């Protein structure tokens, strides 16, 4: 507890403030004062986020201001808010914070590179939120904290108190409001901790391109020869699983930046999905769950306090938050050189994308803007019809600029640093079976071992990418999708459908995207004849 530190400059009079408290202190306060908090059998702090167990993207607002307005890609993701309504919500947050007997403050950094990091202050009401953000940000040393000064950004988390639905432009009792000019984020009506993490990521996504830096929703690791790989991919594509590689050091699992000097992790920790977690499938994550880890919304045995990771009765979005040094094979500080390889992961449920293919820089930009994956939708009758999902830059929910801004930065950095881009499909083959994880790992190993440098490639007629005809430890017949389909006519019809889905999705970007990137997209070609 800080005796001299106060928040009066923000209009907060609460006197008892726990600033950058130790893990045991946060455990004690959480267990004593916060409903649904318990210690697991391995020492993790199990917490309950309340009604909201995931992000509320439709309730996120960005304050319209002449200084930043022209830079933001306004629409369904970036929804505008006027200054007056923001101040109403800001005042509501302050009123709530002032009713609390004590508050928590986390002063820490976002970004491992001192040249680009931002000083962040979190003001919150729960020990759970404080421990979560102490795990997720980069904590200052005692000397750094003594000289921390004024933060660059402040999050006022009053999530235990609702927004007023009758306030103009409020669509629910939840509101996450970003004010780029005041350098603040106000949270009302949700206690889901991920809103703070992604709030900071959104700010970095706005600030970094102004400095010529590419912010990325990706995982990253580095090999024994200091060769860096970044892996983009939406949920369920294998981004976290494939970045945890015993032969390589983890830089980070979710948020990174690519600068003129190299790559750095924005975060100081990991926020891993915990659904169906086992020591066999995800040993790194499983072994990171210990004293200091936050387990969010998990179900546990009331006597033994053993977690049942298969139980999703509270939410499918169960999570574990822990400092990155809880992983054994990790790069600390989380800074490395320029990426040699960029891997786009997709889980293609249509069975027409190859398990591995090589992209040109323009194709890389096209697939980056598209951000494609697909899901298998099961029906009661056992019929499965894949559904395509497109999320620009593999993280549309967090991007403030137009996707082309990020795509141009990516293309420029790929060309300048001679990185190679790859598309890896972790989804289905034409035979109806999912790609084997051991085969996908073998393909990633082949990329890292330069096994494809002298391989023979064939060009896909419609998508234009290069498909290797051989890969160590992978049967050659699975490499060419057409060969996995018995019914070639059905293969061509399914492929045409996917080409058309890509083309249709990309129409909304064409006006603001460079012509060579548009040209790099798939063409229906002979499939229509």
């Amino acid at each position: 507890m800080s005796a001299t530190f106060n928040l009066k400059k923000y209009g907060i009079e609460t006197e008892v403030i726990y600033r950058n408290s130790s893990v045991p202190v946060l455990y004690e306060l959480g267990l004593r004062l916060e409903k649904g908090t318990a210690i697991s059998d391995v020492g993790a702090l199990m917490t309950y986020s309340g009604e909201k167990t995931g992000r509320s993207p439709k309730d996120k607002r960005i304050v319209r201001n002449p200084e930043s307005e022209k830079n933001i890609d306004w629409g369904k993701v970036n929804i505008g808010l006027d200054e007056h309504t923001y101040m109403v919500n800001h005042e509501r947050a302050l009123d709530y914070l002032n009713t609390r007997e004590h508050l928590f403050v986390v002063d820490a950094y976002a970004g491992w590179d001192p040249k680009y990091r931002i000083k962040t202050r979190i003001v919150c009401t729960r020990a759970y939120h404080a421990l979560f953000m102490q795990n997720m940000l980069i904590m200052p040393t005692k000397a750094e904290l003594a000289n921390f000064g004024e933060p660059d950004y402040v999050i006022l988390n009053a999530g235990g108190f609702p927004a007023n639905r009758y306030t103009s432009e409020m669509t629910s009792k939840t509101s996450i409001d970003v004010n780029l000019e005041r350098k603040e984020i106000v949270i009302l009506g949700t206690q889901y901790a991920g809103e703070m993490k992604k709030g900071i990521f959104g700010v970095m996504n706005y600030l970094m391109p102004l400095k010529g830096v590419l912010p990325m929703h990706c995982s990253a690791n580095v090999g024994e020869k200091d060769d860096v790989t970044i892996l983009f991919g939406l949920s369920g594509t294998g981004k976290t699983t494939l970045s945890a590689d015993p032969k390589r050091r983890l830089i980070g699992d979710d948020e990174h930046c690519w600068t003129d000097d190299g790559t750095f992790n924005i975060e100081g920790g990991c926020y891993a999905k915990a659904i169906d977690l086992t020591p066999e499938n995800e040993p790194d994550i499983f072994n990171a769950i210990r004293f200091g880890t936050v387990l969010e919304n998990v179900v546990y045995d009331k006597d033994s306090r053993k977690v049942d990771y298969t139980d999703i009765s509270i939410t499918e979005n169960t999570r574990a938050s822990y400092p990155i040094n809880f992983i054994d094979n990790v790069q600390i500080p989380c800074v490395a050189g320029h990426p040699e390889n960029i891997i786009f992961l997709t889980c293609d449920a249509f069975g027409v994308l190859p398990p591995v293919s090589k992209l040109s820089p323009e194709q890389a930009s096209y697939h980056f803007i598209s951000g494609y994956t697909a899901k298998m939708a099961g029906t009661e009758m056992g019929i499965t019809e894949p559904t395509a999902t497109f999320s620009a830059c593999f993280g549309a929910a967090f991007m403030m600029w137009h996707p082309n801004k990020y795509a141009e930065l990516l293309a420029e950095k790929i060309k300048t640093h001679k990185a190679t881009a790859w598309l890896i499909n972790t989804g289905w083959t034409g035979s109806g079976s999912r790609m084997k994880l051991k085969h996908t790992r073998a393909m990633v190993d082949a990329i890292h071992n330069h096994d494809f440098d002298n391989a023979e490639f064939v060009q896909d007629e419609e998508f234009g990418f290069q498909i290797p005809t051989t890969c160590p430890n992978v049967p050659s017949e699975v490499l060419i999708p057409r060969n996995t389909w018995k019914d070639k006519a059905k293969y061509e019809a399914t492929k045409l459908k996917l080409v058309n889905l890509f083309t249709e999705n990309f129409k909304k970007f064409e006006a603001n995207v460079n012509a060579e990137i548009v040209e790099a997209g798939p063409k229906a070609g002979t499939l229509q004849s």
Side-chain angles (χ1 to χ4, degrees), residues 22-33 37-40 42-46 127 131 290-295:
S22 69
V23 174
V25 167
L26 293 174
Y27 264 56
E28 287 168 17
L29 289 162
L31 290 164
R32 200 166 77 229
L33 302 170
T37 305
I39 298 179
S40 81
V42 294
L45 189 71
M46 299 183 288
L131 181 56
R290 59 178 98 149
F291 183 76
T293 297
V294 174
L295 279 176

Side-chain angles (χ1 to χ4, degrees), residues 174-449:
T174 300
S175 194
I176 302 100
D177 305 335
V178 181
N179 192 320
L180 294 166
E181 279 63 38
R182 286 177 61 98
K183 299 182 175 177
E184 291 174 337
I185 298 173
V186 167
I187 298 174
L188 291 168
T190 174
Q191 296 185 65
Y192 178 66
E195 295 291 6
M196 295 180 287
K197 166 190 153 68
K198 287 305 185 191
I200 295 293
F201 185 44
V203 166
M204 291 294 275
N205 271 307
Y206 178 75
L207 296 177
M208 290 298 107
L210 294 168
K211 299 180 178 183
V213 172
L214 173 63
M216 304 175 290
H217 187 220
C218 67
S219 60
N221 61 28
V222 57
E224 289 167 6
K225 296 176 183 172
D226 292 332
D227 56 304
V228 174
T229 292
I230 52 178
L231 300 101
F232 290 95
L234 297 173
S235 185
T237 57
K239 178 165 59 92
T240 303
T241 304
L242 292 168
S243 64
D245 185 327
K247 298 178 287 297
R248 299 172 69 80
R249 300 184 303 282
L250 182 71
I251 302 167
D253 76 332
D254 197 44
E255 302 173 7
H256 296 82
C257 287
W258 189 352
T259 72
D260 290 340
D261 305 316
T263 320
F264 71 83
N265 187 353
I266 292 172
E267 301 186 294
C270 301
Y271 191 34
K273 282 194 172 74
I275 184 173
D276 295 332
L277 186 65
T278 65
E280 294 75 34
N281 291 346
E282 304 273 14
D284 287 335
I285 297 170
F286 192 88
N287 294 328
I289 297 171
R290 59 178 98 149
F291 183 76
T293 297
V294 174
L295 279 176
E296 201 172 47
N297 298 320
V298 295
V299 178
Y300 56 89
D301 184 280
K302 293 294 179 277
D303 295 323
S304 68
R305 295 294 198 261
K306 188 179 175 68
V307 176
D308 180 356
Y309 292 110
T310 64
D311 192 323
I312 54 170
S313 55
I314 296 175
T315 177
E316 286 189 21
N317 189 34
T318 52
R319 295 272 183 165
S321 155
Y322 47 86
I324 196 160
N325 60 8
F326 279 20
I327 298 278
D328 288 338
N329 200 15
V330 70
Q331 171 96 345
I332 303 266
C334 303
V335 180
H338 295 289
E340 274 188 27
N341 292 292
I342 290 144
I343 297 174
F344 299 115
L345 297 167
T346 186
C347 176
D348 176 34
F350 291 93
V352 295
L353 289 183
V356 60
S357 53
K358 191 176 175 181
L359 307 176
S360 70
E362 291 74 27
Q363 287 168 345
S365 294
Y366 182 91
H367 284 276
F368 180 61
I369 292 174
S370 297
Y372 164 73
T373 193
K375 293 171 184 169
M376 292 297 283
T379 66
E380 285 179 23
M381 298 303 290
I383 302 165
T384 53
E385 180 62 31
T387 31
T389 302
F390 293 95
S391 181
C393 309
F394 294 93
F398 322 115
M399 306 294 159
M400 289 204 201
W401 297 76
H402 186 277
N404 193 48
K405 180 79 169 178
Y406 305 103
E408 283 180 346
L409 279 166
L410 181 70
E412 173 214 320
K413 290 186 185 296
I414 286 175
K415 284 177 179 169
T416 303
H417 304 291
K418 298 181 172 54
T420 307
W422 306 85
L423 182 68
I424 285 189
N425 172 21
T426 62
W428 277 259
T429 69
S431 64
S433 59
R434 181 110 193 232
M435 301 285 177
K436 288 186 168 67
L437 180 58
K438 67 177 182 181
H439 291 163
T440 302
R441 285 199 188 278
M443 292 171 219
V444 174
D445 286 345
I447 290 169
H448 291 147
N449 298 335

Side-chain angles (χ1 to χ4, degrees), residues 369 404 407-408 411 506 509-520:
I369 292 174
N404 193 48
E408 283 180 346
F506 211 81
F509 303 118
E510 284 180 2
N512 297 303
V513 168
N514 303 346
E516 58 266 31
I517 295 176
V518 179
E519 194 55 33

Side-chain angles (χ1 to χ4, degrees), residues 475-518:
S476 293
E477 58 268 22
V478 305
L479 295 172
I480 312 293
R482 186 186 175 92
N483 297 345
T484 67
W485 286 71
K486 283 182 183 171
D487 187 337
K488 305 302 182 197
K490 191 176 181 189
Y491 161 75
E492 294 195 350
T494 307
K495 190 173 189 182
L496 176 62
K497 181 179 179 179
L498 185 59
V499 167
N500 289 338
L501 285 167
F502 265 94
T503 308
E504 191 59 36
N505 172 69
F506 211 81
K507 281 178 183 173
K508 59 178 175 280
F509 303 118
E510 284 180 2
N512 297 303
V513 168
N514 303 346
E516 58 266 31
I517 295 176
V518 179

